[in-house]
Amino acid sequence: MMSRRHYGGRNLARAVSFADLRRMAQRRLPRFVFEYLEGGAEQEVTLRRNRAVFDDIQLIPRTLVPLDRIDLSTTLLGSPVPLPVAAAPTGFSGLLWRHGDVALARACARMGVPFIQSTVSNARIEDVAAVPGLRHWFQLYVFRSEDFLERLLARAEAAGCEALVLTVDSSIFGNREWDKRNYRSGTDPTLANKIEVLRHPRWLASVPAKGVPSFGNLLEFLPENRRKMVHAANWARDAIDTGLDWDRVGWLRKRWTRPLLIKGLLCADDVAMALAQGADGVVLSNHGGRQLDGAVSPMSVLPAIAEAFAGRLTILVDSGFRRGTDVLKALALGADGVLLGRTLLYGLAAGGEAGAGRAFDILFEETRRAAALSGCRTRSEIVADRLVVPARGDPAY
């Protein structure tokens, strides 16, 4: 019987899919770090659904279409991109690779796509802004302190961030049970995990040996004795504004004069509220299955929201994207673009900036190939007529 296995060595050129990069990342990272990257909330129903939904959307290819030139370039927020994708905001990237946020930003700059820096990234806004040629967006978690928000927004403006991405689905932290099981209490790993770390010398040499990174954007607000990552993470959870509402969004809209996107919406009524508050776009997202277990997949609500709001809002989508065909399906259902989270982090964890670049290369190649095999030569030809989509109410949809 033939045995199949994904590549798990160190040669990035041999990675032909995100599954290979995932396996490479899994071998390099300690178990508890990989669990943080990989896991979801509670029983991980939403995490699995985010992938299953793509399996039930079928492509209808057109043939005998000249395919000598495939050009999927378009614009996001008015500026050109070679493919309508961007790096989703992710925290703790510095645990995956030393200076991981800057490495990801450099890979994005090379590909010409936006990088959305997280409030809880390990790098400072200014460090990421220094990456040459980068389209720099900033993701905001809303903390109770208005002074904190004012200073953070001022820094983002001064750094030239072209858009603000307000995350609204994380005022309450998701119940990530599998992640919790790796710790004795709080953020102290179990003895078994501490011993297991010794099996990952490459990670040890590149991250902990040089000092576990903290949250660069929070340091100026933290007491001297609470600046280590463990203490900073606890401070951030305690300081988050659990009373975030549409009035606060209106305040932010008045304060931030550049494009504003609201991330974490799944309900059409909330999208309508975002439009009413003056948002320029939305990100349909269930936070990669890490918040509310049992939540609907963004792909399931995308068609109706795109039909209702196309042309009035930029509509982005994330959660579960692992293939170029996934991107193609989202664009056909009306998304203006796709945000990539774990797909890029697998590459980052496997090989730093070069690994993230390899992830982009795989995605670009897969998406262009899928478009060509579907008979789509340009972004405008990727339309819903090229799909068979499950009826509403189907368990997988």
Side-chain angles (χ1 to χ4, degrees):
M1 183 176 179
M2 181 176 64
S3 175
R4 287 179 167 181
R5 65 180 63 185
H6 292 110
Y7 178 71
R10 301 185 187 183
N11 185 353
L12 290 168
R14 291 190 59 186
V16 299
S17 70
F18 291 116
D20 290 333
L21 291 174
R22 177 187 177 278
R23 176 61 178 147
M24 294 169 71
Q26 186 176 26
R27 293 191 65 184
R28 181 180 168 274
L29 297 176
R31 182 171 55 204
F32 78 96
V33 177
F34 186 75
E35 176 60 50
Y36 172 77
L37 165 59
E38 185 79 349
E42 297 181 349
Q43 298 182 88
E44 300 185 332
V45 172
T46 296
L47 189 70
R48 293 190 296 273
R49 181 178 293 139
N50 284 345
R51 288 300 307 140
V53 68
F54 290 105
D55 294 338
D56 295 297
I57 302 173
Q58 303 174 69
L59 295 163
I60 306 174
R62 294 291 304 272
T63 57
L64 296 175
V65 176
L67 301 175
D68 52 321
R69 186 170 184 272
I70 305 296
D71 182 3
L72 302 183
S73 63
T74 181
T75 61
L76 282 180
L77 297 186
S79 296
V81 286
L83 186 72
V85 299
T90 53
F92 290 102
S93 294
L95 272 183
L96 306 181
W97 194 272
R98 190 74 179 167
H99 305 305
D101 300 291
V102 174
L104 270 175
R106 286 174 176 160
C108 288
R110 180 176 73 85
M111 302 306 295
V113 301
F115 173 75
I116 308 175
Q117 182 181 2
S118 172
T119 297
V120 292
S121 63
N122 298 119
R124 297 166 61 249
I125 297 173
E126 294 79 7
D127 295 334
V128 172
V131 174
L134 179 67
R135 290 192 62 188
H136 188 191
W137 302 1
F138 187 70
Q139 175 270 336
L140 182 69
Y141 286 120
V142 176
F143 296 92
R144 287 188 297 273
S145 169
E146 192 166 299
D147 176 61
F148 174 91
L149 292 178
E150 288 279 10
R151 291 161 70 180
L152 202 57
L153 291 172
R155 287 174 59 194
E157 283 182 332
C161 295
E162 67 176 71
L164 185 71
V165 180
L166 171 64
T167 295
V168 297
D169 64 353
S170 301
S171 295
I172 301 295
F173 198 71
N175 184 24
R176 301 165 195 176
E177 294 175 354
W178 286 108
D179 192 36
K180 290 178 180 179
R181 290 185 176 103
N182 284 304
Y183 302 91
R184 293 190 304 174
S185 63
T187 53
D188 182 25
T190 63
L191 178 60
N193 274 305
K194 290 177 180 178
I195 294 172
E196 197 266 344
V197 163
L198 299 176
R199 298 174 54 195
H200 303 274
R202 288 190 297 146
W203 179 82
L204 273 171
S206 65
V207 180
K210 298 180 181 179
V212 176
S214 189
F215 300 110
N217 296 316
L218 306 185
L219 291 180
E220 66 174 298
F221 306 99
L222 298 174
E224 286 287 344
N225 62 345
R226 298 197 69 187
R227 291 191 171 185
K228 290 185 179 180
M229 188 175 69
V230 171
H231 301 306
N234 291 333
W235 179 90
R237 291 186 190 185
D238 293 340
I240 202 80
D241 186 4
T242 56
L244 178 64
D245 59 12
W246 287 107
D247 288 339
R248 201 73 185 278
V249 173
W251 176 86
L252 281 167
R253 175 66 286 182
K254 293 175 183 176
R255 174 61 184 79
W256 181 264
T257 59
R258 299 170 187 172
L260 171 68
L261 296 93
I262 301 180
K263 179 179 182 292
L265 304 184
L266 291 168
C267 174
D269 290 343
D270 285 341
V271 176
M273 286 293 294
L275 180 63
Q277 289 287 354
D280 300 282
V282 296
V283 182
L284 308 182
S285 172
N286 59 34
H287 217 95
R290 295 164 71 83
Q291 285 295 100
L292 174 64
D293 200 26
V296 68
S297 162
M299 287 292 290
S300 297
V301 299
L302 172 60
I305 289 175
E307 182 179 358
F309 298 97
R312 296 193 287 168
L313 286 166
T314 294
I315 300 172
L316 306 179
V317 62
D318 71 12
S319 301
F321 287 82
R322 298 290 185 276
R323 285 284 184 184
T325 49
D326 300 342
V327 174
L328 194 72
K329 292 170 183 179
L331 298 179
L333 289 178
D336 293 303
V338 169
L339 303 189
L340 306 167
R342 290 182 181 93
T343 46
L344 298 182
L345 295 183
Y346 292 147
L348 177 70
E353 179 183 344
R358 181 61 186 147
F360 270 125
D361 290 341
I362 290 171
L363 181 82
F364 273 52
E365 181 181 350
E366 284 190 356
T367 306
R368 286 168 175 158
R369 182 190 300 114
L373 290 173
S374 299
C376 300
R377 296 165 294 184
T378 65
R379 167 65 186 94
S380 62
E381 292 179 354
I382 304 174
V383 294
D385 288 349
R386 301 294 177 91
L387 303 176
V388 174
V389 180
R392 253 173 231 249
D394 185 294
Y397 186 69

